[in-house]
Amino acid sequence: MSITYRLRRHASTLCKALVIGIGLAAVNNEIAQAQTQSVQTQTIALDSEVINPAKLKETPLELAQRRGRRSSDGTTSDFIGLGLSLGTGDGDGALEELGLAAISKLSFAPQLSVRPAVVVNDSAAVIAPVTYNFQSPATLFNASIFPYVGGGIAINATEDDVAPLVSAGVDVPFSERMTLNGQSNITLADDITVHFMFGLGYNIDGLF
């Protein structure tokens, strides 16, 4: 057997081995890519927040409100907070001037709350309406707005009297713990007063 024949035979065997090796490497690469794609698909499926087209279209305010807290009756959470007060009327009480307000919402029955507030400027006044809180929110500028109506009493320290009160307002949750509040009040005494409050409340559900 000549040396040339042996070299050709070894070269043929080496080529076959290389072809087989390359084929095995290609198969292993395809399997690895398939496994990687499978893991990525499972990861994306688990993280539905990332790939859900409907949720990708949500505005920051809608996303914050969806993640915000609601009470067990479907309305906004109870809160305490601070705000501004202003009003107009024939008297000179705290509700008829610009001042600071401490606001709150405290639920005591499904969809029913008491919303005591203290208004302070040169004088002081306390209002305590009982409100019915609507479960179905209205939508304005991509924000969910929870309206409420009610009535109660207003105690004016300057005039030293107690007057019946009707109230209406809205709660606008914009994060897990924060709620914007706007409220209008009318006192039904000899001197009718129209009063407004705007405040920011910190949700206290689950804190006590």
Side-chain angles (χ1 to χ4, degrees), residues 151-206:
I153 60 172
I155 304 173
N156 197 322
T158 299
E159 299 175 355
D160 194 23
D161 64 359
V162 178
L165 176 83
V166 293
S167 299
V170 293
D171 294 324
V172 185
F174 67 92
S175 75
E176 184 179 3
R177 282 293 180 188
M178 307 304 292
T179 299
L180 289 171
N181 172 259
Q183 181 173 309
S184 60
N185 306 294
I186 300 177
T187 60
L188 304 176
D190 293 336
D191 296 325
I192 294 178
T193 299
V194 180
H195 172 249
F196 302 94
M197 291 190 305
F198 305 94
L200 179 63
Y202 182 80
N203 301 343
I204 59 174
D205 284 358

Coordinates of all heavy atoms in Angstrom, one line a residue, residues 151-206:
G151 N -75.1 65.5 53.5 CA -75.5 66.6 54.3 C -75.1 66.4 55.8 O -74.8 65.3 56.2
G152 N -75.1 67.5 56.5 CA -74.7 67.4 57.9 C -74.9 68.8 58.6 O -75.9 69.5 58.4
I153 N -73.9 69.2 59.4 CA -73.9 70.4 60.1 C -72.6 71.2 60.0 O -71.6 70.6 59.7 CB -74.2 70.2 61.6 CG1 -73.1 69.4 62.3 CG2 -75.6 69.6 61.9 CD1 -73.2 69.3 63.8
A154 N -72.7 72.5 60.1 CA -71.6 73.4 60.2 C -71.6 74.2 61.5 O -72.6 74.8 61.8 CB -71.6 74.3 59.0
I155 N -70.5 74.2 62.2 CA -70.4 74.9 63.4 C -69.4 76.1 63.2 O -68.2 75.8 62.9 CB -69.9 74.0 64.6 CG1 -70.8 72.8 64.7 CG2 -69.8 74.8 65.9 CD1 -70.3 71.8 65.7
N156 N -69.9 77.3 63.3 CA -69.0 78.5 63.1 C -68.7 79.1 64.4 O -69.6 79.6 65.2 CB -69.8 79.5 62.2 CG -68.9 80.5 61.6 OD1 -68.0 81.0 62.3 ND2 -69.2 80.9 60.4
A157 N -67.4 79.1 64.7 CA -67.0 79.6 66.0 C -67.2 81.1 66.2 O -67.5 81.6 67.2 CB -65.5 79.3 66.3
T158 N -67.0 81.9 65.1 CA -67.1 83.3 65.1 C -68.6 83.7 65.4 O -68.8 84.6 66.3 CB -66.7 83.9 63.8 OG1 -65.3 83.6 63.5 CG2 -66.8 85.5 63.8
E159 N -69.5 83.2 64.7 CA -70.9 83.5 64.9 C -71.6 82.7 65.9 O -72.7 82.9 66.3 CB -71.6 83.4 63.5 CG -71.0 84.3 62.4 CD -71.7 84.0 61.1 OE1 -72.5 83.1 61.0 OE2 -71.3 84.8 60.1
D160 N -70.8 81.7 66.5 CA -71.3 80.9 67.6 C -72.7 80.3 67.3 O -73.6 80.4 68.0 CB -71.4 81.7 68.8 CG -71.5 80.8 70.1 OD1 -71.1 79.6 70.0 OD2 -72.0 81.3 71.1
D161 N -72.8 79.7 66.1 CA -74.1 79.0 65.7 C -73.8 77.7 65.0 O -72.7 77.4 64.5 CB -74.9 80.0 64.9 CG -74.3 80.3 63.6 OD1 -73.2 79.8 63.3 OD2 -74.9 81.1 62.8
V162 N -74.9 76.9 64.9 CA -74.9 75.7 64.2 C -75.9 75.7 63.1 O -77.0 76.1 63.3 CB -75.2 74.5 65.1 CG1 -75.2 73.2 64.3 CG2 -74.2 74.4 66.3
A163 N -75.5 75.4 61.8 CA -76.4 75.5 60.7 C -76.4 74.2 59.9 O -75.4 73.4 59.9 CB -75.9 76.6 59.8
P164 N -77.5 73.8 59.3 CA -77.6 72.7 58.5 C -76.7 72.9 57.2 O -76.5 74.0 56.8 CB -79.0 72.5 58.1 CG -79.7 73.8 58.4 CD -78.8 74.5 59.4
L165 N -76.2 71.8 56.7 CA -75.2 71.8 55.6 C -75.6 70.8 54.5 O -75.9 69.7 54.9 CB -73.8 71.6 56.2 CG -72.6 71.5 55.2 CD1 -72.2 72.9 54.9 CD2 -71.5 70.7 55.9
V166 N -75.5 71.2 53.3 CA -75.5 70.2 52.2 C -74.2 70.2 51.5 O -73.6 71.2 51.3 CB -76.7 70.5 51.2 CG1 -78.0 70.3 51.9 CG2 -76.5 71.9 50.6
S167 N -73.7 69.0 51.0 CA -72.4 68.9 50.5 C -72.4 68.0 49.2 O -73.3 67.1 49.1 CB -71.4 68.2 51.5 OG -71.3 69.0 52.6
A168 N -71.5 68.3 48.3 CA -71.2 67.4 47.2 C -69.8 67.6 46.8 O -69.2 68.6 47.0 CB -72.1 67.9 46.0
G169 N -69.2 66.5 46.3 CA -67.8 66.6 46.0 C -67.3 65.4 45.2 O -68.1 64.5 44.8
V170 N -66.0 65.3 44.9 CA -65.4 64.2 44.2 C -64.1 63.8 44.9 O -63.4 64.7 45.4 CB -65.1 64.6 42.7 CG1 -66.4 64.8 42.0 CG2 -64.2 65.8 42.6
D171 N -63.8 62.5 44.8 CA -62.5 62.0 45.2 C -61.8 61.5 43.9 O -62.4 60.8 43.1 CB -62.6 60.8 46.1 CG -63.2 61.3 47.5 OD1 -62.9 62.4 47.9 OD2 -64.0 60.5 48.1
V172 N -60.5 61.8 43.8 CA -59.7 61.4 42.6 C -58.4 60.7 43.1 O -57.5 61.4 43.4 CB -59.4 62.6 41.7 CG1 -58.7 62.1 40.4 CG2 -60.6 63.4 41.3
P173 N -58.4 59.4 43.2 CA -57.2 58.7 43.6 C -56.2 58.8 42.4 O -56.5 58.6 41.3 CB -57.7 57.3 43.8 CG -58.9 57.1 43.0 CD -59.5 58.5 42.9
F174 N -54.9 59.1 42.8 CA -53.9 59.2 41.7 C -52.6 58.4 42.1 O -51.7 58.3 41.3 CB -53.5 60.6 41.4 CG -52.8 61.3 42.5 CD1 -51.4 61.4 42.6 CD2 -53.6 62.0 43.5 CE1 -50.8 62.1 43.6 CE2 -52.9 62.7 44.5 CZ -51.5 62.7 44.6
S175 N -52.6 57.7 43.2 CA -51.5 56.8 43.6 C -52.1 55.8 44.6 O -53.2 55.9 45.0 CB -50.3 57.5 44.1 OG -50.5 58.0 45.4
E176 N -51.2 54.9 45.0 CA -51.7 53.9 46.0 C -52.1 54.5 47.3 O -53.0 54.0 48.0 CB -50.5 52.9 46.3 CG -50.9 51.8 47.2 CD -49.8 50.8 47.4 OE1 -48.7 51.0 46.9 OE2 -50.0 49.8 48.1
R177 N -51.5 55.6 47.7 CA -51.8 56.2 49.0 C -52.4 57.6 48.9 O -52.8 58.2 50.0 CB -50.5 56.3 49.8 CG -50.1 55.0 50.4 CD -51.1 54.5 51.5 NE -50.7 53.3 52.1 CZ -51.5 52.6 53.0 NH1 -52.7 53.1 53.3 NH2 -51.2 51.5 53.5
M178 N -52.5 58.3 47.8 CA -52.9 59.7 47.7 C -54.2 59.9 47.0 O -54.4 59.2 45.9 CB -51.8 60.5 47.1 CG -50.4 60.4 47.7 SD -50.4 60.7 49.5 CE -50.7 62.5 49.5
T179 N -55.0 60.8 47.5 CA -56.3 61.1 46.8 C -56.5 62.6 46.8 O -56.4 63.2 47.9 CB -57.5 60.4 47.6 OG1 -57.3 59.0 47.6 CG2 -58.8 60.8 47.0
L180 N -56.9 63.1 45.7 CA -57.3 64.5 45.6 C -58.8 64.6 45.9 O -59.6 63.7 45.5 CB -57.1 65.0 44.1 CG -55.6 65.2 43.7 CD1 -55.6 65.6 42.2 CD2 -55.0 66.4 44.5
N181 N -59.1 65.7 46.6 CA -60.5 65.9 47.0 C -61.0 67.3 46.7 O -60.2 68.2 47.0 CB -60.7 65.6 48.5 CG -62.1 65.9 49.0 OD1 -62.2 67.0 49.6 ND2 -63.1 65.1 48.7
G182 N -62.2 67.4 46.2 CA -62.8 68.7 46.0 C -64.2 68.6 46.5 O -64.9 67.7 46.3
Q183 N -64.6 69.6 47.3 CA -65.9 69.6 48.0 C -66.6 71.0 48.0 O -65.9 72.0 48.3 CB -65.8 69.0 49.4 CG -67.1 68.9 50.2 CD -66.9 68.2 51.5 OE1 -66.4 67.2 51.6 NE2 -67.4 68.9 52.6
S184 N -67.8 71.0 47.7 CA -68.6 72.2 47.8 C -69.7 72.1 48.9 O -70.3 71.0 49.1 CB -69.3 72.6 46.5 OG -70.1 71.6 46.1
N185 N -69.9 73.1 49.7 CA -70.9 73.1 50.8 C -71.8 74.4 50.7 O -71.3 75.4 50.3 CB -70.2 73.1 52.1 CG -69.2 71.9 52.2 OD1 -69.5 70.8 52.2 ND2 -67.9 72.3 52.3
I186 N -73.0 74.2 51.1 CA -73.9 75.3 51.3 C -74.5 75.2 52.7 O -75.1 74.2 53.1 CB -75.0 75.3 50.2 CG1 -74.4 75.4 48.8 CG2 -76.0 76.5 50.5 CD1 -75.5 75.3 47.7
T187 N -74.3 76.3 53.5 CA -75.0 76.3 54.8 C -76.3 77.0 54.7 O -76.5 78.0 54.0 CB -74.1 77.1 55.8 OG1 -73.9 78.4 55.4 CG2 -72.8 76.4 56.0
L188 N -77.3 76.4 55.3 CA -78.7 76.8 55.2 C -79.2 77.5 56.4 O -80.1 77.1 57.1 CB -79.6 75.6 54.8 CG -79.2 74.8 53.6 CD1 -80.1 73.6 53.4 CD2 -79.3 75.7 52.4
A189 N -78.5 78.6 56.8 CA -78.9 79.4 57.9 C -79.5 80.7 57.4 O -79.8 80.9 56.3 CB -77.6 79.7 58.8
D190 N -79.6 81.7 58.4 CA -80.1 83.0 58.0 C -79.2 83.6 56.9 O -79.7 84.3 56.0 CB -80.3 83.9 59.2 CG -81.3 83.4 60.2 OD1 -82.2 82.7 59.7 OD2 -81.2 83.7 61.4
D191 N -77.9 83.5 57.1 CA -76.9 84.0 56.1 C -76.4 82.7 55.4 O -75.7 81.9 55.9 CB -75.8 84.7 56.8 CG -76.2 85.9 57.5 OD1 -77.1 86.6 57.0 OD2 -75.7 86.2 58.6
I192 N -76.9 82.6 54.1 CA -76.5 81.4 53.3 C -75.0 81.6 52.9 O -74.6 82.7 52.4 CB -77.4 81.3 52.1 CG1 -78.8 81.0 52.5 CG2 -76.8 80.2 51.2 CD1 -79.8 80.8 51.4
T193 N -74.2 80.6 53.1 CA -72.8 80.6 52.7 C -72.5 79.5 51.7 O -73.0 78.3 51.9 CB -71.9 80.3 54.0 OG1 -72.1 81.4 54.9 CG2 -70.4 80.3 53.6
V194 N -71.8 79.9 50.6 CA -71.3 78.9 49.7 C -69.8 78.7 49.9 O -69.1 79.7 49.9 CB -71.6 79.4 48.2 CG1 -71.1 78.3 47.2 CG2 -73.1 79.6 48.0
H195 N -69.4 77.5 50.1 CA -68.1 77.2 50.6 C -67.4 76.1 49.7 O -68.1 75.1 49.3 CB -68.1 76.8 52.0 CG -66.9 76.3 52.6 ND1 -66.6 75.0 52.9 CD2 -65.7 77.0 52.9 CE1 -65.4 74.8 53.4 NE2 -64.8 76.0 53.3
F196 N -66.1 76.2 49.5 CA -65.4 75.2 48.7 C -64.1 74.8 49.4 O -63.5 75.6 50.1 CB -65.0 75.8 47.3 CG -66.2 76.2 46.5 CD1 -66.6 77.6 46.5 CD2 -66.9 75.3 45.7 CE1 -67.7 78.0 45.8 CE2 -68.0 75.8 45.0 CZ -68.4 77.1 45.0
M197 N -63.8 73.5 49.3 CA -62.5 73.0 49.8 C -61.8 72.2 48.7 O -62.5 71.4 48.0 CB -62.7 72.2 51.1 CG -63.2 72.9 52.3 SD -63.2 71.9 53.8 CE -64.2 70.5 53.3
F198 N -60.5 72.3 48.7 CA -59.7 71.5 47.8 C -58.5 71.0 48.6 O -57.8 71.8 49.2 CB -59.2 72.4 46.6 CG -60.3 73.1 45.8 CD1 -60.7 74.4 46.2 CD2 -61.0 72.4 44.8 CE1 -61.7 75.0 45.5 CE2 -62.0 73.0 44.1 CZ -62.4 74.3 44.5
G199 N -58.3 69.7 48.6 CA -57.3 69.2 49.4 C -56.6 67.9 48.9 O -57.1 67.3 47.9
L200 N -55.6 67.5 49.6 CA -54.9 66.2 49.2 C -54.9 65.3 50.5 O -54.5 65.7 51.6 CB -53.4 66.6 48.9 CG -52.5 65.4 48.5 CD1 -53.1 64.7 47.3 CD2 -51.1 65.9 48.3
G201 N -55.4 64.1 50.3 CA -55.6 63.2 51.4 C -54.6 62.0 51.3 O -54.3 61.5 50.2
Y202 N -54.2 61.6 52.5 CA -53.3 60.4 52.6 C -54.2 59.2 53.0 O -54.8 59.3 54.1 CB -52.2 60.6 53.6 CG -51.2 59.4 53.7 CD1 -50.2 59.3 52.8 CD2 -51.4 58.5 54.7 CE1 -49.4 58.2 52.9 CE2 -50.5 57.4 54.8 CZ -49.5 57.3 53.9 OH -48.6 56.2 54.0
N203 N -54.3 58.2 52.2 CA -55.1 57.1 52.4 C -54.7 56.3 53.7 O -53.6 55.9 53.8 CB -55.2 56.1 51.2 CG -55.7 56.8 50.0 OD1 -56.2 57.9 50.0 ND2 -55.4 56.2 48.8
I204 N -55.6 56.0 54.6 CA -55.3 55.4 55.8 C -55.9 54.0 56.0 O -55.7 53.4 57.0 CB -55.8 56.3 57.0 CG1 -57.3 56.5 56.9 CG2 -55.1 57.6 57.0 CD1 -58.0 57.2 58.1
D205 N -56.5 53.4 54.9 CA -56.9 52.1 55.0 C -55.8 51.1 55.2 O -54.7 51.2 54.6 CB -57.6 51.7 53.7 CG -59.0 52.3 53.5 OD1 -59.4 52.9 54.5 OD2 -59.6 52.0 52.5
G206 N -56.0 50.3 56.2 CA -54.9 49.3 56.5 C -53.9 49.8 57.5 O -53.0 49.0 57.9

